[in-house]
């Protein structure tokens, strides 16, 4: 008797493919005389945030995409942040804007994200982007939410007519992912810490996406055989290592597939920020082909 | 052996309570020197639409709320509609705006609803309203979606920690209702015509809300005993009579409760448009109490 094998849904190869698409598109835009460019606004001393922003910078550079990091310091006021976001939204040479969290205490993130021009909102932070997704208008989804869909597509996991349970109701993953998958004809269940026993919702699902931010929240007892599990969690342990929301050891051998952390959804997310930037640039730059 | 009784979740008494609340609040606003007022923009010859708008007008009048109907005719252009919506959004004496469908052919409803000032968007038509609901910012939900929540509240049907299946994924009911109920700590499943067998999603649910626009879509075979069923359907039969999406005869005796059509959700919806208007006016009119 052998234990069934749980397939690892690595995001690394897919991230490479998406980066290459972004690079090719960036080159095409350059040939048309446009220079796709991204701005990241940061206002924190947090080291891991700076590390993350540098990784975006490096990835953008490697793809031929301009990346301007605007570091306003940990004591930036809401007014200063607002002015910068307004300027970047109006600046024709910037095609994508990321407002990096965390922000200084007392600053209203809600008020600021609404200032990011929707056509430059490449991480779907402006509520208008979420609303447009909901009504089927063109908009950028948060890159993490789209990363889940791209991983399912990459591994040929069908979603139309199937039942997807999303654990977590955040505006960054749970809700936009539900909207993206509804658009793909899935039935969507969104459950969370207050919606009763998790397994009531996760066991009947064909696909379970976990985005709750709690280490080991989902284990083998929550999953039916042959379920596809996507782990969106990125929890930093005291020793600095990164783990997801899924107890991989207990899910392996039960689930049909599981995305690893690290090396799963996260790898794809950064690549999608680049792809969104060139997509945004393509929409903002008038086509020159027929000129 | 007796057949269990299915409780009828009539919306009529509740609609009366909500109308009275709107009336009381309108009177208070008048006492403070403000005159709450609603504008309905219409551009169709459709008789039932005119009938519906007159019913809003009468209800507003009875509640002491001003109601201006702006009939632009069935051949109104998008430009004319856009100008009117911009003017009303900027007009301080108007606190609520409804853009009534259907609109003339070729007119892009999507583009127009985005012109309704969010603070006056009392029927949650602007995608920004939906996005704000999704991120927990203050916004008006579509009145029909809120009507479902109000009916559940009125009949003391708890939603926190319970499982709600919403049949239908429209931007007017399914999606905003999912957001409202997630906010209330329910687990939400959204299913639809392409998400596979309905009963897979409706049978395990504690509450089933049907908003698909298909006569008789849900019958007794889709429902478990003791389920609470809310019927949002409003289908006009060839003989002119109004029926919901639920086959009441077959659900009665199985469900714990069922909202009737007519006399259920629909009655509450119009009342909520009035309540939203006074709520909008309250937010837009500076408080005079402390003056």
């Amino acid at each position: 008797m052998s234990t069934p094998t749980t397939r690892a849904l690595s995001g690394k190869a897919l991230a490479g493919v998406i980066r290459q698409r972004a690079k090719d598109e960036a080159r095409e835009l350059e040939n048309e005389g446009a220079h796709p460019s991204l701005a990241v606004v940061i206002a924190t001393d947090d080291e891991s945030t700076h590390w993350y922003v540098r990784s975006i910078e490096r990835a953008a550079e490697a793809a031929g995409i301009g990346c301007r990091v605007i570091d306003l310091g940990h004591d930036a006021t809401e007014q200063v942040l607002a002015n910068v976001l307004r300027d970047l939204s109006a600046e024709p040479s910037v095609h994508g804007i990321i407002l990096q969290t965390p922000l200084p205490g007392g600053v209203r993130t809600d008020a600021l994200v609404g200032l990011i021009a929707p056509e430059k909102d490449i991480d779907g932070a402006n509520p208008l982007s979420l609303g447009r997704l909901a009504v089927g208008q063109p908009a950028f989804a948060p890159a993490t939410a789209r990363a889940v869909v791209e991983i399912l597509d990459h591994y040929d996991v069908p979603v139309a007519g199937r039942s997807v349970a999303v654990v977590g109701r955040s505006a960054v993953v749970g809700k936009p992912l539900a909207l993206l998958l509804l658009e793909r004809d899935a039935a969507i269940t969104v459950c969370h810490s207050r919606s009763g026993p998790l397994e009531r919702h996760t066991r009947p699902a064909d696909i379970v996406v976990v985005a709750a931010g709690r280490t080991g929240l989902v284990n083998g007892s929550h999953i039916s055989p042959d379920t596809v599990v996507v782990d969106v969690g990125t929890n930093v342990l005291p020793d600095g290592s990164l783990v997801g929301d899924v107890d991989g050891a207990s899910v392996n051998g039960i689930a049909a597939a599981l995305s690893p952390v690290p090396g799963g959804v996260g790898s794809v997310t950064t690549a999608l920020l680049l792809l969104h930037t060139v997509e945004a640039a393509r929409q903002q730059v008038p086509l020159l082909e027929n000129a």
Side-chain angles (χ1 to χ4, degrees), chain A:
Chain A
M1 225 173 87
S2 69
T3 310
T5 312
T6 296
R7 186 176 185 187
L9 305 179
S10 163
K12 288 181 179 171
L14 171 58
V17 171
I18 293 172
R19 272 200 213 96
Q20 187 60 48
R21 268 170 66 194
K23 192 173 179 176
D24 294 345
E25 175 69 11
R27 190 176 300 130
E28 258 187 57
L29 282 159
E30 290 285 353
N31 289 342
E32 295 170 24
H35 182 57
S37 177
L38 168 66
V40 184
V41 178
I42 181 167
T44 179
D45 287 341
D46 180 59
E47 269 194 45
S48 63
T49 307
H50 278 271
W51 182 90
Y52 174 65
V53 169
R54 273 195 301 274
S55 75
I56 296 177
E57 232 181 332
R58 276 194 305 270
E61 198 185 328
I65 294 169
C67 183
R68 196 193 300 183
V69 175
I70 297 148
D71 188 345
L72 299 172
H74 70 276
D75 52 1
T77 63
E78 186 172 313
Q79 192 54 54
V80 166
L81 281 155
N83 288 340
V84 167
L85 291 172
R86 275 198 203 91
D87 288 350
L88 292 171
S89 290
E91 170 56 51
S93 70
V94 171
H95 307 105
I97 300 170
I98 297 173
L99 175 62
Q100 187 58 47
T101 53
L103 292 172
V107 163
R108 294 170 305 156
T109 310
D110 284 5
L112 291 174
V113 290
L115 299 174
I116 302 173
E119 68 274 16
K120 300 186 180 184
D121 185 26
I122 57 153
D123 204 14
N126 187 334
L128 182 53
S129 297
L130 210 49
R132 286 186 176 174
L133 279 183
V135 302
Q137 289 176 18
F140 291 109
T144 307
R146 183 173 170 190
V148 174
V149 177
E150 295 288 338
I151 282 193
L152 294 173
D153 279 356
H154 181 72
Y155 287 98
D156 291 324
V157 178
V159 297
R162 302 183 83 204
S163 183
V164 183
V166 180
V167 183
R169 53 179 159 172
S170 76
V172 180
V173 191
K175 286 168 184 169
L177 179 59
L179 294 173
L180 291 175
L181 291 174
L182 274 177
E183 198 64 34
R184 299 287 202 93
D185 292 338
I188 284 289
T189 297
V190 182
C191 56
H192 46 84
S193 57
R194 297 190 178 179
S195 63
L198 213 53
E199 60 272 19
R200 177 175 179 191
H201 308 293
T202 49
R203 274 208 203 125
D206 302 309
I207 299 165
V208 174
V209 181
V210 193
R214 255 182 68 195
T215 308
L217 178 66
V218 166
N219 61 46
S221 78
H222 299 106
I223 301 294
S224 297
D226 299 328
T227 309
V228 172
V229 182
V230 180
D231 189 350
V232 186
T234 49
N235 310 293
V236 182
L237 295 186
D239 69 0
S241 62
L242 194 69
V243 297
D245 289 354
V246 176
D247 176 1
S250 100
V251 162
N252 271 314
I254 300 174
L258 169 65
S259 72
V261 176
V265 174
S267 334
V268 179
T269 301
T270 313
L272 281 172
L273 290 174
L274 304 182
L275 188 62
H276 283 183
T277 301
V278 294
E279 288 174 352
R282 171 59 73 201
Q283 287 156 24
Q284 288 162 55
V285 173
L287 276 176
L288 302 178
E289 285 167 17
N290 305 322

